[in-house]
Amino acid sequence: MKLGIIGLPNVGKSTLFNSLTKAGAESANYPFCTIDPNIGIVAVPDERLKLLGDMYHSKKVTPATIEFVDIAGLVKGASKGEGLGNQFLSNIREVDAIVHVVRCFEDDNIVHVDGSIDPMRDIETINLELIFSDLEILERRIAKTGKAARMDKSLAKELALLERLKAHLEEGKPALSLEVDDEDEQALLDSYNLLTAKPVIFAANVAEEDLADDGANNAGVARVREYAASNGSEVFVICAQIEEEIAELDEEETAMFLEDLGLKESGLQKLIKASYHILGLMSFLTAGEDETRAWTIKIGTKAPQAAGKIHTDFERGFIKAEVVNYRDLLEQGSLAAAREKGLVGMEGKDYVVQDGDVILFRFNV
């Protein structure tokens, strides 16, 4: 999974990126301090892996990962080259979802590029820049497809979709909200890799005092939540400065620190939950002496396709999947004991993999 972090300058983007990835991206009180897109890989915390790894005495425990891409703060006119411009928008075209950091805190020491705190104005500014950037790509695509359609009538359907999509964006609506007629149109829409076709997770960045009640008394957070609810987006509340402090602590210290603040989970955990939810993802597990590992798949994935995540040969030569829920496996202490209790299922090609399944694939190539 790959997530792109965007937002205006000085909203806490790079501070959040630093804390999530501990990658040390430069953070400063002026726009454009992130010159190149910063990329960080983060392990997805998963208690199940540790427990299974201990049970099997695994030589290696491999969690699922998320790749974060942090780009320079965007400003009005970014799509036309203002600030550091459109070059950075291209760096997030490959991501699965966008994390839009919105400033919901007052601090006279940290300047706001527009002079005041207004989360909805900031969201609109970024949305327009993403739309303008997408329109530029669409216009090139329309010109190319229109020319080719004169010779190839089969391109007429795509040209109609492109024109419909362009009109939709020009109304200020994201590509994600365009209603498509069928799977073919959806496949075409996906192939354009438009920024506004990506799901959005809003990170409402608040002051420390607003963190314990999850921003319940912050008017800016309330407006972001209302907007997200009407646009099918996710929201989570963070204090980027607190996340930066958490990043310096070990696991035990983090748990104590969160407890002192009255928090149940860190910003990273909130973000992972939101991203898995909005992208419809889950994890199945493989466990053994050599390696215990988490594999991220779409909810609804069938056993052969899940096997293909490990190796294409596993999908091609799929025979059966030996499946046990991780809780049952841990309670019984071994796969053999779980088999004896009838807790292990031998599943075929139509089995839909469930979150927390521990699977041993049988295949023949």
Side-chain angles (χ1 to χ4, degrees), residues 105-338:
F105 68 89
E106 297 278 355
D107 187 336
D108 294 339
N109 296 317
I110 303 174
V111 295
H112 188 291
V113 285
D114 289 328
S116 62
I117 307 304
D118 184 342
M120 295 317 300
R121 178 200 59 210
D122 295 355
I123 286 173
E124 191 179 338
T125 297
I126 296 290
N127 284 352
L128 284 172
E129 291 311 315
L130 299 185
I131 284 171
F132 291 148
S133 183
D134 281 351
L135 278 169
E136 199 178 302
I137 284 189
L138 276 184
E139 280 160 7
R140 287 201 297 267
R141 186 87 186 213
I142 287 168
K144 187 180 173 185
T145 307
K147 198 174 179 183
R150 292 179 206 146
M151 308 296 290
D152 184 353
K153 299 300 176 194
S154 69
L155 292 172
K157 184 178 178 179
E158 181 179 1
L159 189 57
L161 172 66
L162 287 165
E163 295 285 8
R164 207 166 86 235
L165 184 52
K166 181 172 179 275
H168 185 77
L169 290 174
E170 284 172 342
E171 288 174 11
K173 298 172 186 170
L176 192 64
S177 66
L178 181 78
E179 287 187 21
V180 292
D181 294 337
D182 51 37
E183 285 182 10
D184 290 343
E185 280 199 348
Q186 187 60 56
L188 281 170
L189 182 57
D190 291 343
S191 73
Y192 304 146
N193 233 357
L194 299 176
L195 293 169
T196 63
K198 299 180 189 301
V200 178
I201 303 161
F202 291 102
N205 190 10
V206 300
E208 185 181 335
E209 56 267 24
D210 284 330
L211 203 53
D213 66 359
D214 207 33
N217 294 306
N218 183 304
V221 172
R223 291 170 73 197
V224 174
R225 281 189 169 129
E226 190 181 329
Y227 176 84
S230 62
N231 286 274
S233 301
E234 294 272 332
V235 183
F236 72 103
V237 173
I238 49 139
C239 172
Q241 280 186 312
I242 291 292
E243 291 302 314
E244 203 165 36
E245 289 178 43
I246 289 171
E248 302 302 318
L249 307 174
D250 63 28
E251 210 172 308
E252 201 175 305
E253 289 170 330
T254 297
M256 288 168 62
F257 186 62
L258 290 173
E259 196 178 327
D260 288 344
L261 289 169
L263 303 175
K264 289 178 181 171
E265 52 191 357
S266 69
L268 176 60
Q269 288 166 317
K270 287 181 184 178
L271 174 51
I272 288 168
K273 202 179 282 183
S275 54
Y276 267 66
H277 184 255
I278 204 166
L279 292 169
L281 300 175
M282 64 175 203
S283 296
F284 75 91
L285 313 162
T286 52
E289 196 179 315
D290 286 336
E291 183 182 36
T292 291
R293 182 166 182 165
W295 304 87
T296 303
I297 56 171
K298 284 267 187 191
I299 292 169
T301 299
K302 291 185 177 178
Q305 287 69 50
K309 285 290 285 187
I310 300 172
H311 199 288
T312 50
D313 283 351
F314 283 27
E315 182 176 357
R316 194 157 51 93
F318 178 88
I319 301 170
K320 288 276 182 197
E322 216 170 336
V323 182
V324 59
N325 181 272
Y326 82 97
R327 285 193 191 91
D328 292 336
L329 181 56
L330 288 167
E331 278 172 20
Q332 298 308 315
S334 73
L335 189 60

Side-chain angles (χ1 to χ4, degrees), residues 16-48:
L16 177 62
F17 175 82
N18 291 349
S19 60
L20 293 177
T21 64
K22 302 184 187 178
E26 185 186 354
S27 171
N29 180 21
Y30 55 90
F32 319 129
C33 60
T34 311
I35 302 300
D36 294 316
N38 290 287
I39 294 174
I41 309 286
V42 175
V44 175
D46 194 336
E47 182 66 14
R48 302 172 301 187

